[in-house]
Amino acid sequence: MNTTLSSADIFESTKRINNILDEVETVIIGKRHTIMLVITAILCNGHILIEDVPGVGKTTLAKSLAKTLGCSFKRIQFTPDLLPSDITGTSIFNQKTTEFEFRPGPIFAQFIIADEINRATPKTQSSLLECMGEKQVTIDGNTYPMPKPFFVIATQNNIEHYGTYQLPEAQMDRFLMRLSIGYPNHAEEALIIDSQIGGHPIENIKQVISADDVIKLQNLVSSVYIDSVLRDYIIQLVSATREHPMVTLGSSPRGSLFLANASKALAIANTRSFVLPDDIKELAVPVLAHRLILKPEARIKNITSEHVIGDILTKIPVPN
């Protein structure tokens, strides 16, 4: 077993994660599990797609996390007339120096909120591919690194499709997880109303850790132990998505890598230095479901990619 993680490291990391959860939950009430999944993705340096109906707190969750983590953040409102240069930046001719100078766009922040990402054209959406996949931007032949840490939380409305563009598979594959927040129950909605009588609680949210602390937590995640048996279990799950009768295109190897890394992050959140099968099973749907392309008959039968992953989890034996 990997012995590079001490008990003190684990307990301190879990304490910091719980502090983040508690602070964000003062704004996003009753969605602790969803917040935990977002933090899990951040700890393994992944990006998030939040897909849900309007008004449930998608953008608010992203803003709250950025403030709590002490990261610089920019919100990019995606619209049909948005251009790639509006995101990445452009080179402008300086008449005094007679040279072109690069003016960075809003993508050069540690925490990016890509609001309603599916309202931009495919060309504009593709400007995020290099940023998300390689943590860099190439403009006019020059490559500029992204700040560290670097996260993208994108939101989209999964109900309204008028004036939207479907995210390409290459873009979807770069998101570590696809999540939804969902409606609050009666008691939670009452608390939401009460909490905003005197103003929005996001105005009072506090920074819990620094951006440097986030990087330290990411480094700890890479040291979490995952047994070869569990590695093979992940590969079996991902391979099964490529062979399922309702699937046209299954998950890429990136899905295997992301599921392994996310399981390590969830282990630390649960005060462990090693991965358990339950970590993998809990993360399989949010990590893998959005990578599948289903056959037409699946849609006719109202079978979703979440159903497919659930079916695979029941058929593949869990290792002891």
Side-chain angles (χ1 to χ4, degrees), residues 157-293:
N157 177 2
N158 61 341
I159 302 297
E160 184 183 4
H161 297 292
Y162 180 76
T164 64
Y165 301 86
Q166 186 175 358
L167 293 179
E169 281 69 38
Q171 183 89 56
M172 293 291 287
D173 200 41
R174 279 167 170 75
F175 287 105
L176 189 144
M177 294 185 198
R178 180 180 65 183
L179 302 172
S180 62
I181 296 176
Y183 289 118
N185 60 35
H186 183 93
E188 292 165 354
E189 198 156 359
L191 287 173
I192 292 171
I193 293 172
D194 291 342
S195 68
Q196 297 191 30
I197 290 176
H200 202 291
I202 197 172
E203 298 171 2
N204 300 319
I205 200 166
K206 300 182 181 66
Q207 177 181 332
V208 173
I209 64 174
S210 67
D212 289 338
D213 292 330
V214 175
I215 295 174
K216 291 177 183 177
L217 286 172
Q218 290 175 339
N219 292 334
L220 287 177
V221 167
S222 64
S223 299
V224 172
Y225 175 76
I226 181 168
D227 193 87
S228 60
V229 174
L230 295 182
R231 178 204 61 199
D232 293 340
Y233 178 55
I234 290 173
I235 295 173
Q236 283 182 299
L237 292 175
V238 173
S239 296
T241 66
R242 303 164 191 161
E243 301 165 1
H244 196 278
M246 290 296 171
V247 176
T248 299
L249 183 66
S251 173
S252 69
R254 186 181 278 130
S256 302
L257 180 62
F258 281 174
L259 184 53
N261 289 340
S263 299
K264 290 182 178 184
L266 190 59
I268 278 194
N270 290 318
T271 327
R272 279 184 278 106
S273 60
F274 53 89
V275 174
L276 291 178
D278 286 346
D279 299 324
I280 298 169
K281 292 174 68 177
E282 182 177 347
L283 292 166
V285 170
V287 173
L288 298 178
H290 63 286
R291 304 177 195 279
L292 310 185
I293 298 178

Side-chain angles (χ1 to χ4, degrees), residues 24 27-28 35 38 42 48 50 57-69 71 73-75 111-115 151-155 181 202 205:
V24 175
V27 179
I28 307 297
I35 300 169
V38 176
I42 289 173
I48 298 288
I50 303 179
K58 300 186 296 293
T59 306
T60 303
L61 171 58
K63 281 186 174 181
S64 301
L65 275 166
K67 288 187 174 183
T68 306
L69 299 176
C71 294
F73 75 96
K74 293 287 180 67
R75 173 180 174 176
F111 209 107
I112 302 298
I113 303 170
D115 204 17
F151 315 110
V152 174
I153 291 189
T155 69
I181 296 176
I202 197 172
I205 200 166

Side-chain angles (χ1 to χ4, degrees), residues 4 6 23 39 46-47 116-117 124 171 175 183 202 315:
T4 58
S6 66
E23 191 65 26
I39 295 172
H47 309 291
E116 297 192 87
I117 188 173
T124 301
Q171 183 89 56
F175 287 105
Y183 289 118
I202 197 172
K315 291 180 177 177

Side-chain angles (χ1 to χ4, degrees), residues 19-35:
N19 288 341
I20 297 169
L21 279 166
D22 293 339
E23 191 65 26
V24 175
E25 204 173 17
T26 62
V27 179
I28 307 297
I29 296 173
K31 302 298 178 183
R32 191 174 183 89
H33 182 254
T34 303
I35 300 169

